[in-house]
């Protein structure tokens, strides 16, 4: 009993201290461990299995749109990084520099990639000659490094895992279409698989990617009312092509610059899953992304026939395509329940002697704790339905939470009041000037999250300066 | 016609200059491109797709044995690298050093991982407490960096992709069993999937991994008679555990050191596929690893109904689980044949108006160029058989080549003659002394490849010094 209490008590309540709750869940659900390498984490099996499922689902969706995977070097020579002015300004202050190879100093230092636009550009400048070579729709799965000062597991670490797509096109229209297409892939993935609703929109110039003409983003809202940038897709126009001299001979026999895009999603989405769906008992994983969907927990397992029946059920459920494990360790059922809840396994199936005698089992949903008695013979048919309902309900619940924490501000007074007292998204009009954006950051501590594709007219004037408004913007505090 | 000739002529004959032939194939089959980062390559879609298939197959086999995937940091603080004396001596001369993070010099420099024993040990020292925490059977897929002076695509590059498994066990016996188990996984994978026969054995102390108690290896023979170390599995005993203080409380309540293993396979296996199976027309991919297995090439495709029929066949074959593409570009059939051969696609299906009228197609095997006329309705049933035969024949052919290039030396005269004139494996007896190993390297330019598990007695005395022999050893020149 002491151990059971310890497991549950060890989590800080999310309402008391959300940041500590997050750290507790990340550790207690065994997603990561800290390392001797400051700012870098070790991703443990339970965490990495979630990333593998994210990879698998995203990669499949990418390939359906014609994406091909490649691999570029992890180091960038300094001279290569410096060719695009905005890009180097954005990234140079936060890269790790390799200065020695073996026992020798390098002639030119190289940075560990913080992102690979420069390497793909270098590659494309050699690989693209004719319109026949276009489009190039490449992606790589890799790790990148940004020398952050303050770090948090999954959300901001010096090294993180991601995919970065880099494409080259013959026309500006095609590049723009690909940029939006990939943003939609991300948005659909988040909603359908992670059960996280997102707002799609465009970043302001202040918030866009270093070197991009336009950055599109999907923004999600965490349980504590802070926003999380969840995936971005950039249209570079021909800016990089000019800096890296990527030209092709078009059908009309003229030499032209390509138009490029890039887009990425990272391990921070594991942080999003935790902060959107988790509760005071730990992690809650959406069934579609959960490495284990069903945890069979035998009750009084030492009695004859119990473990055999559990094994039989496990085999049946696996054959039905479910991801299942049986907890047959020698700990108490209560301890096992707590652990299943901490790890966020979507449902547990409780099976004791009386249940088995009655030919039934008790299914408990992780999100609602609803108990559903199901005939053992029906488990393979019923569990997929229960998991589907849970997946839908989780998205719906997250959407309701997001909508309930999305506020409208008509003027600065309203805006500051919301920013101070009501964590969430703030919808407010904007004149388009950087000055007002800076002022909202200074006075209310919020940043522009995006100019949503779905515009609304809240008023005719900028919430800040009162001049005519150009865009409705989502504002908020963000991770 | 000029273009067609160019494609074929561009490859150097393998008998004329094997190294140049290799480079030509790697480039012309579009597996890699060189980059601005010296010693690092860009892996292009055709190359990366092979790696994805290797990953998929190996990962599946790993997981069947209970392996779990994780991810450790890519940087190793210098003090962490230095804890195991042999290990640091082996790797320190060839690592890349990060000395600055952003604009600041680091307090302690860190190297980009050349391998991750030190990081896993650091992790295990915090994560393992009790016998209940054992075994740990972890693996990661990542890139590593070794500052090589001379590099060759896939075979030796400063950065390469691999998987590295790292395990911790309660007993020496369990660690040894896991070491051998993973070697067998590699051997089976090479033979069953890559159609590459291997010799399994143990490395001599001179050739073993820095810090290992025992290194086991699978060695394969390339077409030019040089050996390639294709996968290694190391038993560390408790050496690393003592250096990194990884102890656990055993069932008997005593504090003990864990026993560890590590094992890895890399992108160099793509080089092995090229050098074992390739020919003067380019790459030849074993069907089980080929990203595209069937290339449908329509003849006179502008005639009505040809492309439609090709599309219909493609759909049928895909539904049957084959990996298929149709080459409907506007180039000549001859050009398409050359390209299919260069890229090593296992079979092509030629379909012209007369064939279609007769309800048949011509299947051409890439390895033998055998032409097989097959009824179009039978393609989905016949192609898997043809691909299976090709897979078997490729392994058999490689085995015959290997056996025909495996020689026996009873004395130094024979050994030197073989080393000078007959590229291949040399089987010869060895006394077990480092001195003789060094002398064979000096006098005959060969190294010990392994002490095979299947021992034979060629003579009673060492081929070099004439003292009593302890082991029969495979020797050879190696990549």
């Amino acid at each position: 009993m002491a151990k059971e209490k310890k497991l549950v008590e060890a989590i800080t309540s999310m309402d008391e201290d959300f940041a500590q709750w997050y750290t507790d869940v990340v550790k207690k659900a065994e997603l990561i461990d800290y390392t001797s390498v400051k700012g870098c984490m070790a991703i443990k099996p339970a965490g990495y299995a979630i990333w593998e499922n994210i990879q698998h689902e995203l990669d499949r969706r990418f390939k359906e749109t014609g994406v091909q995977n490649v691999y570029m070097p992890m180091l960038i020579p300094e001279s290569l990084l410096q060719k695009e002015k905005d890009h180097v300004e954005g990234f140079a202050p936060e890269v790790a520099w390799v200065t020695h190879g073996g026992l020798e100093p390098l002639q030119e230092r190289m940075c560990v990639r913080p992102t690979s636009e420069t390497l793909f550009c270098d590659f494309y400048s050699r690989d693209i000659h004719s319109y026949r070579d276009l489009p190039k729709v490449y992606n790589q799965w890799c790790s990148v490094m940004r020398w952050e000062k303050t770090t948090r597991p999954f959300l901001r670490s010096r090294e993180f895992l991601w995919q970065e797509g880099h494409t080259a096109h013959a026309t500006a229209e095609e590049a723009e279409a690909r940029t939006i297409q990939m943003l939609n892939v991300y948005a659909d993935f988040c909603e359908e698989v992670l059960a996280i609703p997102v707002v799609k929109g465009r970043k302001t110039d202040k918030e866009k990617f270093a070197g991009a003409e336009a950055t599109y983003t999907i923004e999600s809202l965490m349980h504590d009312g802070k926003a999380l940038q969840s995936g971005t897709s950039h249209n570079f126009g021909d800016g990089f092509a000019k800096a890296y001299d990527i030209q092709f001979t078009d059908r009309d026999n003229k030499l032209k610059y390509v138009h490029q895009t890039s887009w990425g999603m990272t391990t921070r989405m594991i942080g999003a899953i935790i902060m959107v769906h988790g509760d005071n008992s730990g992690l809650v994983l959406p069934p579609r992304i959960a490495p284990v969907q069903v945890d069979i927990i035998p009750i009084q397992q030492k009695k004859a026939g119990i473990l055999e029946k559990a094994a039989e059920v496990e085999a049946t459920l696996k054959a039905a395509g479910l991801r299942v494990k049986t907890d047959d360790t020698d700990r108490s059922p209560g301890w096992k329940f707590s652990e299943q809840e901490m790890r966020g396994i979507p449902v547990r199936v409780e099976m004791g002697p009386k249940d088995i005698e009655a030919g039934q089992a008790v299914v408990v949903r992780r999100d609602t704790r609803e108990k559903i008695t199901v005939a053992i013979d029906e488990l393979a048919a019923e569990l997929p339905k229960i998991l589907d309902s849970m997946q839908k309900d989780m998205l719906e619940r997250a959407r309701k939470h997001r909508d309930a924490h999305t506020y409208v501000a008509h003027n600065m007074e309203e805006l500051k009041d919301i920013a101070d007292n009501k964590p969430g998204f703030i919808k407010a009009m904007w004149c388009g000037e950087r000055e007002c954006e800076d002022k909202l950051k200074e006075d209310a501590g919020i940043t522009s999250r995006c100019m949503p594709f779905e515009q609304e007219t809240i008023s005719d004037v900028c919430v800040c300066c009162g001049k005519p408004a150009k865009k409705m913007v989502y504002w908020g505090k963000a991770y």
Side-chain angles (χ1 to χ4, degrees), chain A residues 293-294 312-324 377-385 387:
Chain A
Q293 298 170 310
V294 181
E312 193 187 306
V313 169
E314 180 181 320
T316 308
L317 297 183
K318 276 187 175 161
L322 292 165
R323 302 191 283 272
V324 192
D377 293 345
E378 297 294 320
L379 280 171
E382 288 304 313
L383 279 172
K385 293 183 206 162
L387 292 169

Coordinates of all heavy atoms in Angstrom, one line a residue, chain A residues 293-294 312-324 377-385 387:
Chain A
Q293 N -2.6 0.1 -26.2 CA -4.0 0.6 -26.1 C -4.8 -0.1 -25.0 O -5.7 0.6 -24.5 CB -4.7 0.4 -27.5 CG -4.0 1.1 -28.6 CD -4.6 0.7 -30.0 OE1 -4.7 -0.5 -30.3 NE2 -4.9 1.6 -30.8
V294 N -4.5 -1.3 -24.8 CA -5.3 -2.1 -23.8 C -4.3 -2.8 -22.8 O -3.4 -3.4 -23.2 CB -6.1 -3.2 -24.5 CG1 -6.9 -4.0 -23.5 CG2 -7.0 -2.6 -25.6
E312 N -5.3 -15.8 -23.1 CA -6.2 -16.1 -24.2 C -6.8 -14.8 -24.7 O -6.9 -14.6 -26.0 CB -7.3 -17.0 -23.6 CG -8.2 -17.8 -24.6 CD -9.3 -18.5 -23.9 OE1 -8.9 -19.3 -22.9 OE2 -10.5 -18.3 -24.2
V313 N -7.3 -14.0 -23.8 CA -7.9 -12.7 -24.3 C -6.9 -11.9 -25.0 O -7.1 -11.3 -26.0 CB -8.5 -12.0 -23.0 CG1 -8.9 -10.6 -23.4 CG2 -9.7 -12.7 -22.5
E314 N -5.7 -11.8 -24.4 CA -4.6 -11.0 -25.1 C -4.4 -11.5 -26.5 O -4.3 -10.6 -27.4 CB -3.3 -11.1 -24.3 CG -2.2 -10.3 -24.9 CD -0.8 -10.3 -24.2 OE1 -0.8 -10.3 -22.9 OE2 0.2 -10.4 -24.9
A315 N -4.3 -12.8 -26.7 CA -4.1 -13.3 -28.0 C -5.2 -12.9 -29.0 O -5.0 -12.5 -30.1 CB -3.9 -14.8 -28.0
T316 N -6.4 -13.0 -28.5 CA -7.6 -12.7 -29.3 C -7.6 -11.2 -29.7 O -7.8 -10.9 -30.9 CB -8.9 -13.0 -28.5 OG1 -8.8 -14.3 -28.0 CG2 -10.1 -12.8 -29.4
L317 N -7.3 -10.4 -28.7 CA -7.3 -8.9 -29.0 C -6.2 -8.6 -30.0 O -6.3 -7.7 -30.8 CB -7.2 -8.1 -27.7 CG -8.4 -8.3 -26.7 CD1 -8.2 -7.5 -25.5 CD2 -9.7 -8.0 -27.4
K318 N -5.0 -9.2 -29.8 CA -3.9 -8.9 -30.7 C -4.3 -9.3 -32.1 O -4.0 -8.6 -33.1 CB -2.6 -9.7 -30.3 CG -1.9 -8.9 -29.2 CD -0.5 -9.5 -28.9 CE 0.3 -8.6 -27.9 NZ 1.3 -9.4 -27.2
A319 N -4.9 -10.5 -32.2 CA -5.3 -11.0 -33.6 C -6.3 -10.0 -34.2 O -6.4 -9.9 -35.4 CB -5.9 -12.4 -33.4
A320 N -7.0 -9.3 -33.4 CA -8.0 -8.3 -33.9 C -7.3 -7.0 -34.2 O -8.0 -6.0 -34.6 CB -9.1 -8.1 -32.8
G321 N -6.0 -6.9 -34.1 CA -5.3 -5.7 -34.5 C -5.1 -4.7 -33.4 O -4.6 -3.6 -33.6
L322 N -5.4 -5.0 -32.1 CA -5.2 -4.1 -31.0 C -3.8 -4.2 -30.4 O -3.2 -5.3 -30.5 CB -6.3 -4.4 -29.9 CG -7.7 -4.0 -30.4 CD1 -8.7 -4.7 -29.4 CD2 -7.9 -2.5 -30.4
R323 N -3.3 -3.1 -29.9 CA -2.0 -3.2 -29.2 C -2.3 -3.4 -27.7 O -2.8 -2.6 -27.0 CB -1.3 -1.9 -29.4 CG -1.1 -1.6 -30.9 CD -0.1 -0.4 -31.2 NE -0.7 0.9 -31.0 CZ -1.4 1.6 -31.9 NH1 -1.6 1.1 -33.1 NH2 -1.8 2.8 -31.6
V324 N -1.9 -4.6 -27.2 CA -2.3 -5.1 -25.9 C -1.1 -5.6 -25.1 O -0.2 -6.1 -25.7 CB -3.3 -6.3 -26.1 CG1 -3.9 -6.6 -24.8 CG2 -4.3 -6.1 -27.2
D377 N -16.4 -12.7 -24.7 CA -16.4 -13.1 -26.2 C -16.6 -11.9 -27.1 O -16.4 -11.9 -28.3 CB -17.5 -14.1 -26.4 CG -17.2 -15.4 -25.8 OD1 -16.1 -15.6 -25.4 OD2 -18.2 -16.2 -25.6
E378 N -17.1 -10.8 -26.4 CA -17.4 -9.6 -27.2 C -16.2 -8.5 -27.2 O -16.3 -7.5 -27.9 CB -18.6 -8.9 -26.7 CG -19.9 -9.7 -26.9 CD -20.3 -10.0 -28.3 OE1 -20.1 -9.0 -29.1 OE2 -20.6 -11.1 -28.7
L379 N -15.2 -8.8 -26.4 CA -14.2 -7.8 -26.2 C -13.5 -7.4 -27.5 O -13.3 -6.2 -27.8 CB -13.1 -8.3 -25.3 CG -13.4 -8.3 -23.7 CD1 -12.3 -9.0 -23.0 CD2 -13.5 -6.8 -23.3
A380 N -13.2 -8.3 -28.4 CA -12.5 -8.0 -29.6 C -13.4 -7.1 -30.5 O -12.9 -6.3 -31.3 CB -12.1 -9.3 -30.4
A381 N -14.7 -7.3 -30.4 CA -15.6 -6.4 -31.2 C -15.9 -5.1 -30.5 O -16.0 -4.1 -31.2 CB -16.9 -7.2 -31.4
E382 N -16.0 -5.1 -29.2 CA -16.4 -3.9 -28.5 C -15.2 -2.9 -28.2 O -15.4 -1.7 -28.2 CB -17.0 -4.3 -27.1 CG -18.4 -4.9 -27.2 CD -19.4 -4.0 -28.0 OE1 -19.4 -2.8 -27.7 OE2 -20.1 -4.5 -28.9
L383 N -14.0 -3.5 -27.9 CA -13.0 -2.5 -27.6 C -12.6 -1.5 -28.7 O -12.4 -0.4 -28.4 CB -11.7 -3.3 -27.2 CG -11.7 -3.9 -25.7 CD1 -10.5 -4.8 -25.5 CD2 -11.7 -2.7 -24.7
P384 N -12.6 -2.0 -29.9 CA -12.3 -0.9 -31.0 C -13.4 0.2 -31.0 O -13.0 1.3 -31.2 CB -12.4 -1.8 -32.3 CG -12.1 -3.1 -31.9 CD -12.6 -3.3 -30.5
K385 N -14.6 -0.2 -30.7 CA -15.7 0.9 -30.6 C -15.4 1.8 -29.4 O -15.6 3.0 -29.5 CB -17.1 0.2 -30.5 CG -17.5 -0.6 -31.7 CD -18.9 -1.1 -31.5 CE -19.1 -2.4 -32.3 NZ -20.3 -3.2 -31.9
L387 N -12.6 2.4 -28.0 CA -11.4 3.2 -28.3 C -11.8 4.3 -29.2 O -11.3 5.5 -29.1 CB -10.3 2.4 -28.8 CG -9.7 1.4 -27.8 CD1 -8.7 0.4 -28.5 CD2 -8.9 2.1 -26.7

